[in-house]
Amino acid sequence: LDGDLSEAALKLPKIGGGAMAILDEPGTGPRFGPDGLKVSLDGRVAASRLGSYYDRRPDGSKTLFDPNVVELKEVKVYVGAEETEIAKNYKPNMLQWQPDELEKLREDDMQKGKVNY
């Protein structure tokens, strides 16, 4: 949390089920839960609030950072080289966006002049 790499990394469990574990929308940075960890690549800041989607730190703190918004000095991005078999065969459940459903809504909104993505 403070850049000290001599200590082991901290892994906080997801609470409240798997919904909204990771959000990645165009024009924003990645979000872990709606508020657990938000990375704004445009503003070069990260913010954190724990407790609703990710568990609090072992010391009871409700944020990854102190203060809860910090300036990013460096960002490293790790990506998979190929799609896994699980991802290839993934089928959304009835409560999730179905294939191409979100894209269709965005297309309709753009045609109606509601939103500029």
Side-chain angles (χ1 to χ4, degrees):
L1 300 175
D2 60 4
D4 181 1
L5 300 178
S6 65
E7 293 185 32
L10 179 65
K11 183 177 180 181
L12 300 173
K14 173 78 175 75
I15 57 177
M20 300 183 78
I22 299 175
L23 303 146
D24 190 11
E25 298 177 347
T28 68
R31 294 186 296 163
F32 294 82
D35 52 8
L37 173 61
K38 292 192 274 188
V39 177
S40 169
L41 300 178
D42 290 341
R44 295 182 184 233
V45 296
S48 170
R49 187 176 71 191
L50 302 172
S52 55
Y53 288 86
Y54 284 89
D55 205 0
R56 295 179 184 176
R57 291 178 27 194
D59 65 3
S61 178
K62 296 181 183 181
T63 180
L64 292 173
F65 314 117
D66 185 26
N68 74 331
V69 177
V70 295
E71 181 181 350
L72 298 173
K73 294 181 181 178
E74 180 179 12
V75 176
K76 292 183 180 180
V77 178
Y78 298 90
V79 298
E82 59 186 55
E83 193 173 32
T84 65
E85 287 302 314
I86 292 173
K88 288 177 188 175
N89 298 315
Y90 177 77
K91 303 283 186 248
N93 69 39
M94 63 183 268
L95 300 176
Q96 296 173 315
W97 293 108
Q98 298 302 306
D100 301 320
E101 184 177 12
L102 184 57
E103 289 77 9
K104 176 71 172 125
L105 288 171
R106 287 182 172 161
E107 183 180 308
D108 290 346
D109 285 348
M110 287 173 51
Q111 288 177 357
K112 295 174 185 171
K114 291 182 180 179
V115 183
N116 184 10
Y117 290 102

